[in-house]
Amino acid sequence: MSRCELPPALPGSGEEPVFEAPWQAQAFAMTLALHQAGCFAWGEWAETLGAEIARGGKPYYEHWLDALERIVAVKGIASEAVLAARREAWARAAARTPHGAPIELAKGLA
């Protein structure tokens, strides 16, 4: 009988969060959900993320977000115009949110 091996542990240990900010976890979850829905193959995702990382100069999850936006646009899931509008709404919502409070996108859409 063969023994199953567990996948490598996620970053962080015990009490530490796996992600530094909620948006990172959300971007990760959206990527997995889109892949599981058949929107793109995992190899396509790896190639897109690798290309973003190769550009350099950003923290890992900013590359992840850039790759997510890129693959969503390339696959026609959302247009660049829709993505740009969401980025602008997010910036407005962030500007209207007190430091330390959760950012609510609805505040940027008004």
Side-chain angles (χ1 to χ4, degrees), residues 27 30-31 34 40 45 48 52 58 62-80 82-84 86-88 90:
M30 282 190 282
T31 303
L34 289 169
F40 50 81
W45 167 252
T48 303
E52 289 299 329
K58 292 183 177 182
E62 287 184 32
H63 288 302
W64 186 286
L65 182 59
D66 289 345
L68 180 57
E69 289 181 352
R70 187 167 157 205
I71 203 165
V72 163
V74 167
K75 293 293 187 173
I77 298 165
S79 69
E80 184 54 44
V82 168
L83 293 172
R86 288 294 178 175
R87 283 190 291 273
E88 290 171 16
W90 182 261

Side-chain angles (χ1 to χ4, degrees), residues 11-66:
S13 63
E15 303 293 320
E16 296 176 14
V18 173
F19 303 99
E20 291 178 1
W23 72 264
Q24 295 172 348
Q26 292 167 343
F28 183 86
M30 282 190 282
T31 303
L32 291 181
L34 289 169
H35 166 67
Q36 290 172 343
C39 295
F40 50 81
W42 200 249
E44 292 175 292
W45 167 252
E47 185 177 316
T48 303
L49 179 58
E52 289 299 329
I53 291 170
R55 293 177 191 224
K58 292 183 177 182
Y60 180 74
Y61 273 101
E62 287 184 32
H63 288 302
W64 186 286
L65 182 59
D66 289 345

Side-chain angles (χ1 to χ4, degrees), residues 93-103:
R96 296 175 182 165
T97 303
H99 180 73
I103 297 171

